[in-house]
Amino acid sequence: MEKARPLWDNPLQFVFACISYAVGLGNVWRFPYLCQMYGGGGFLIPYVIMLIVEGMPLLYLELAVGQRMRKGSIGAWKIISPYLCGVGVASVVVSFFLSMYYNVINAWAFWYLFHSFQDPLPWATCPLNSNRTGYEEECEKTSSTQYFWYRQTLNISPSMETSGTVQWEQALCLTLAWLVVYLCILRGTASTGKVVYVTASLPYCVLIIYLIRGLTLHGALNGLIYMFTPKLEQLSNPKTWISAATQIFFSLGLGFGSLIAFASYNDPSNNCERHAIIVSLINSTTSIFASIVTFSIYGFKATFNYESCINKVILLLMNTFDLEEGSLTADNLSEMKDYLMAAHPQEYAQLLPQLKNCSLEAELDTVQGPGLCFIHAGFVCFINCIIGLIFTMEAGNYWFDIFNDYAATLSLLLIVLVETIAVCYIYGLRRFEKDLHTMIGRKLNWYWKVMWAFASPLLIISLFIFYLTDYILTGTLQYQAWDGTQGQLVTRDYPSYALAVIGLLVASSTMCIPLGALLTFIRKRLKRERVSTVA
Amino acid sequence: MNGYLFSPFRNLLNISIISVSTICRISNVLLCNVTDRVSFWFVVTDSSKNTTTVPGSEVEAAIRMNRNRINSAFLLSDKTLQFLKISTTLSPPVEPSTPVWLIVFGVVLSLIVAGIVFLVVSGIQQRKKKNKESTERENLEEKGEVTITTENGIPCETLDLKAGHINGVFAADDERFTSL
């Protein structure tokens, strides 16, 4: 007697689960950065094209496979072909790596949340130095918010070689983050089904609050104008199209096996085609909405820095040349500078190294983006928490960046490529089409068939080739280390053991696919031999 | 304007130096190097000892101790009234005995742990109830009093209507069948 597969209480829970899975940091943080880098409003053109060509078809494929096979990732691919059990295992391995490092972000979020309950906020001012005559030296060189992040949150070491000790405050927050995860998954779909109502809607509430706050900030408009002015010449840059494709691919979370698992809890006649279109559209519109929020705040920050810079220059000039209050303003600054250069050339020349050239464009350009990044349940949570303690050490953030950049990227591309080829050519597109017709009751549109069979695999292959050549061409991999004495980031080479870890991360997930096929082949051979010897 | 400022300053300095060293009787604050911006050098003489000036360290100590009073007399602050060589000491931020974040962390942690314990305990209780029910049902079945209809080994009660959905392909379409 087989236990019935648990189901979502209603289709809305499934949609919410997919939305809360897809909408994440990539929408809020990475998309605005890419949009601004690759042509502003013009970036929306490759983005929408990639959404239609790559995002929707691949999402529909994964959901359809899950709903049809009614098993998680490993089981579903075993049904399609026994040689493909490695694909499911590779998905699980990648998911495991991701959950290891991604929950650290939640730990940081908790840290900042708990520190928000004081006025003034701890990152608003620099702490005082030991004899209270001024502010901490490291904080003076950089800003109070960066100091709070690098010194008081991470307590980051100057390079990867000095790993330092586990920071107990971060370890506590990480433990709390894992306890929250455990609470949410404790009862399977029964608990997760209720939790997704909150996790899907809460980000939108927060984003709306941020939107209202951000748009009322001074200088918000500068950021929005800067971001959305289309620079159509970027469309000829191949990196624009590659970034759009990559962003769509990773933003939807394809290849982790989670979408297959979510869809397997659906009842078989659920219209997953409609849901795939809805989820991908919601994901992309959330990206655009979040970029409005993010860039209004970036615009405020850039304007604030620019105006502080101008004020410092004005104060310096007024003090040196004993000018009247109000004679120097932001508007007449450049004219007054020329006049002073002509009137008092020696003093002006002495002052020149201290006079910074303030530029609003330069402030907006310094917007940095993240790297590419991404009694059973209790055991998984516990193991992940213990391993995650690595990321709470002083050098932990560097290991975090390694995982963020390399644990998921290449492996996911390979996994989804194998998935698409498996469904179209190994299982058979016609057979799959018939299954879907039985399930949903409608005929499969020719558009999906063309995308699955030709367009999406070609696109993934080209992305894969691009990334491989990029990794090979750049030679030694480098990372950004925080130098406390200078108060800024410096580039360093990875030590050899870090390179070994990177290689292991990529290999452990990608090798599962050929290994799985090989193991199945050997097992079948042995069985055949055993049968033949018995006979 | 300079004279207006200097007399209260003089008086204040008198009072502050008297409070440092009770022995000397100060009566003269001499000003020199006056500039357009309100800035000046000063020395403090000790009239009882004729021409000797009060040592700089004592003046510095006096000013350091009474900085607040000097500032408020001029309605200025540490940023607008600067004594060269006397660096301002910034007031340390107020820090409560237990950091605030630990308190909030403790509250959230206890809520989460309470939630986990509640779910685990209620899960165990439900399983106990289900076991009791299934043993009761088995007893009844043995007595042959209740027959439970099963479909593919799944009792019909769990195959509730909520999991069913009419599939358009198989739904009986009345118009396809010829009417009798």
Side-chain angles (χ1 to χ4, degrees), chain A residues 118-179:
Chain A
Q118 27 184 304
D119 182 38
L121 293 171
W123 52 87
T125 49
C126 282
L128 305 174
N129 58 16
S130 41
N131 53 5
R132 298 220 207 116
T133 49
Y135 297 117
E136 274 272 347
E137 199 187 314
E138 191 178 345
C139 194
E140 284 275 334
K141 297 227 174 89
T142 171
S143 65
S144 53
T145 44
Q146 284 211 300
Y147 176 78
F148 183 78
W149 168 243
Y150 283 110
R151 190 52 50 213
Q152 292 179 317
T153 308
L154 298 174
N155 194 15
I156 204 163
S157 58
S159 76
M160 205 158 195
E161 286 88 350
T162 46
S163 7
T165 51
V166 168
Q167 305 298 302
W168 66 269
E169 302 97 339
Q170 295 303 309
L172 277 183
C173 291
L174 183 67
T175 321
L176 180 66
W178 276 111
L179 283 175

Side-chain angles (χ1 to χ4, degrees), chain A residues 16-159:
Chain A
F16 272 19
C18 291
I19 291 176
S20 50
Y21 174 72
V23 170
L25 282 178
N27 304 70
V28 176
W29 192 7
R30 186 156 173 79
F31 175 78
Y33 163 70
L34 287 177
C35 197
Q36 168 263 107
M37 269 252 295
Y38 291 117
F43 183 70
L44 290 176
I45 299 175
Y47 188 68
V48 170
I49 292 178
M50 288 302 165
L51 173 68
I52 297 176
V53 168
E54 185 197 3
M56 286 190 202
L58 290 174
L59 181 64
Y60 183 28
L61 183 73
E62 289 218 353
L63 293 183
V65 166
Q67 192 171 303
R68 168 71 186 85
M69 308 302 167
R70 311 213 69 217
K71 293 238 168 178
S73 175
I74 299 183
W77 295 108
K78 236 193 240 179
I79 294 179
I80 289 195
S81 158
Y83 292 103
L84 286 179
C85 59
V87 176
V89 175
S91 293
V92 170
V93 169
V94 174
S95 299
F96 184 67
F97 288 151
L98 189 96
S99 58
M100 237 196 275
Y101 82 85
Y102 218 70
N103 218 11
V104 177
I105 302 181
N106 278 329
W108 296 335
F110 276 129
W111 170 265
Y112 270 85
L113 177 67
F114 297 154
H115 276 85
S116 315
F117 286 87
Q118 27 184 304
D119 182 38
L121 293 171
W123 52 87
T125 49
C126 282
L128 305 174
N129 58 16
S130 41
N131 53 5
R132 298 220 207 116
T133 49
Y135 297 117
E136 274 272 347
E137 199 187 314
E138 191 178 345
C139 194
E140 284 275 334
K141 297 227 174 89
T142 171
S143 65
S144 53
T145 44
Q146 284 211 300
Y147 176 78
F148 183 78
W149 168 243
Y150 283 110
R151 190 52 50 213
Q152 292 179 317
T153 308
L154 298 174
N155 194 15
I156 204 163
S157 58
S159 76

